[in-house]
Amino acid sequence: MSNWDIGNTVREGDTVQVWVFSGTSVLDPEEPNGKIEIIGRLLSPVPAAEVGTIRCIRLDYVSHAKEANVKVPDVPPLSMKPATALVDPWPARTVIPKHTLKDGSADYGAELAIVIGKTCKNVSESEALSYVLGYTVANDVSSRVAQFAQSQACYSKGFDGACPLGPVLVSAAVMPDPSIFTIRGLKNGEVVQSSGLSDMVFSCAKLVSFVSQGTTLSAGTVIITGTSAEVGFGKVPPDYLHDGDEFVVELWPHIGSLYSVFETEK
């Protein structure tokens, strides 16, 4: 069922039954063990121990580059988040750091996430997607004041919990052409971002190939592929995240809704 929204169904408290596989990781699921269980809580499709360093592509939508008033890039701009930035879907909470709360600049970014399934290095664009296990959803949470104060974005995007990921992983075999995905971001129920992935500057194949040049991408590596226009800093006045806000990233077909609820650091 391509339009069954697991994230929303669990968020509403409805029962979701699933086949249980004998493996302990999506990287090595093995086979169904014959059991059917009810989902108690959604976790990130890939745990922090398997993610390693999260690669973040910036300015990969034509609309977002125009919004930021910068030239559409010739090569993919890259920053990184540590594995500690990973956080599960709701009911896990995404914490806004104290200093970011103080300057009021915590921002959202609805993004497609690529999960690498086989270790690779120096792959060509033509073979890149054969190394992709599947696709899921990410929210690229950023501290804009910190970001604009520096030339690099790793610090401003690397805080604990700054990468909600989920709710499900769809196999690359099911989605051989990720450019047909559509993505939306909703803040407290209001649509604030909406785009087709056809607006991406660089294709998923190009991104995987680029990131792998001279660099080993281990199985489990996550690449988040940039966000479309209408992020918080692009609005007049800016519309940032605050304590109690709920942000939802929707990706269709197949994947559905990633719910994140924000709270301030104690």
Side-chain angles (χ1 to χ4, degrees), residues 12 30 40 46 49 56 58 77 101 104 121 133 149 154 156 184 194 216-217 225 232 239 250:
E12 294 298 316
E30 298 187 15
V46 190
C56 311
R58 301 167 55 210
L101 177 67
K121 181 179 179 180
L133 177 64
C154 295
S156 62
R184 296 202 311 172
S194 182
T216 299
L217 302 181
T225 58
D239 183 23
E250 297 179 347

Side-chain angles (χ1 to χ4, degrees), residues 42-47 51 54 85-90 111-115 136-139 163-168 220 222-224 258 260:
L42 287 169
L43 303 177
S44 166
V46 190
V51 163
I54 301 164
L86 194 71
V87 66
D88 298 331
W90 178 93
E111 305 200 9
L112 168 73
I114 302 169
V115 180
T136 188
V137 176
N139 187 351
C163 190
L165 195 73
V168 299
V222 170
I223 303 170
I224 61 175
L258 168 66
S260 299

Side-chain angles (χ1 to χ4, degrees), residues 162-184:
C163 190
L165 195 73
V168 299
L169 183 74
V170 63
S171 169
V174 175
M175 288 296 295
D177 181 8
S179 69
I180 69 172
F181 280 121
T182 60
I183 195 164
R184 296 202 311 172

